Amino acid sequence: EHAETLYLKVPGLVRRERASGAIDVCRRGQCRRKAPGGGTERLPQWSYLPYLFFVELDANSSRYQGLLKSLGVDLSVDTITRFQSRIAVVYGAKHWERDRPQFWMDKDNFLPLRLMFLASKRMVDIQWIGWGSREAGNWFPSEIELHSDGKQVDKCIVSEVKSGVSMPDSLFKLE
């Protein structure tokens, strides 16, 4: 596998330099991709969601509740299950109901584990895996996986985390 670099800056800035040479940049919840050849494209509205919990400065429970409701998660339905050896609270569906929007959260540490929602008639499944790893610690997962209709379509693997690093805002612009 080829190394990728992921830059996160509060509030709301994301840059992912992919192994393919493509660069994804998110600003204020809107994401664009610059192809290795130079053309840019707008990414789906939900492309920001895998990073949301790490770059939101003023996020609070009502912000997240509103977001989950907008994705179709029924917050009045909840259950308990396990995910990657963690006890998870599942909001929006029973854990076996894979066709309904839902959000899975670590019961003890309130960490995001999984978010499933419909987008363009496909079930998108974002999974935050490996909390507490040697590489990323307790504040970032060691992997972020993206699935569409049950098939893995993207994976970001963390090999190192650096915090407190100064980054210019220009890093989060596609020229």
Side-chain angles (χ1 to χ4, degrees):
E1 293 184 16
H2 299 284
E4 295 188 345
T5 304
L6 179 64
Y7 300 92
L8 305 172
K9 185 174 181 178
V10 173
L13 300 174
V14 177
R15 178 184 176 105
R16 182 175 176 190
E17 297 175 357
R18 296 174 172 271
S20 66
I23 298 171
D24 298 352
V25 170
C26 302
R27 298 175 65 82
R28 294 181 295 280
Q30 301 292 319
C31 301
R32 299 186 64 80
R33 176 172 293 150
K34 182 176 181 181
T40 62
E41 66 177 310
R42 178 180 231 149
L43 297 175
Q45 183 73 28
W46 54 263
S47 299
Y48 177 66
L49 294 177
Y51 317 111
L52 170 79
F53 298 101
F54 313 109
V55 294
E56 291 279 322
L57 184 61
D58 296 327
N60 57 40
S61 62
S62 59
R63 158 88 166 106
Y64 293 136
Q65 287 174 355
L67 172 68
L68 293 172
K69 286 179 183 177
S70 75
L71 293 171
V73 176
D74 180 356
L75 297 175
S76 68
V77 176
D78 63 68
T79 189
I80 300 282
T81 192
R82 286 196 173 271
F83 182 74
Q84 302 288 323
S85 75
R86 292 182 174 265
I87 298 174
V89 178
V90 180
Y91 294 98
K94 301 302 180 191
H95 63 84
W96 61 85
E97 297 177 310
R98 302 286 190 229
D99 60 339
R100 296 184 58 197
Q102 52 197 276
F103 176 63
W104 298 34
M105 180 175 63
D106 181 285
K107 178 184 168 289
D108 297 318
N109 298 309
F110 308 106
L111 301 169
L113 300 174
R114 187 174 202 177
L115 175 61
M116 298 171 67
F117 57 93
L118 286 170
S120 302
K121 299 182 182 178
R122 295 186 156 198
M123 184 58 73
V124 175
D125 182 0
I126 301 168
Q127 299 178 18
W128 295 273
I129 300 169
W131 290 99
S133 71
R134 190 176 57 227
E135 298 82 13
N138 279 325
W139 64 277
F140 203 82
S142 62
E143 297 178 16
I144 301 173
E145 289 186 4
L146 179 63
H147 299 254
S148 178
D149 285 340
K151 295 179 181 151
Q152 184 178 313
V153 295
D154 196 12
K155 184 174 190 172
C156 179
I157 299 173
V158 175
S159 60
E160 178 182 18
V161 174
K162 297 178 184 177
S163 63
V165 177
S166 179
M167 292 179 273
D169 285 344
S170 61
L171 185 65
F172 301 93
K173 294 180 183 174
L174 290 178
E175 300 301 328

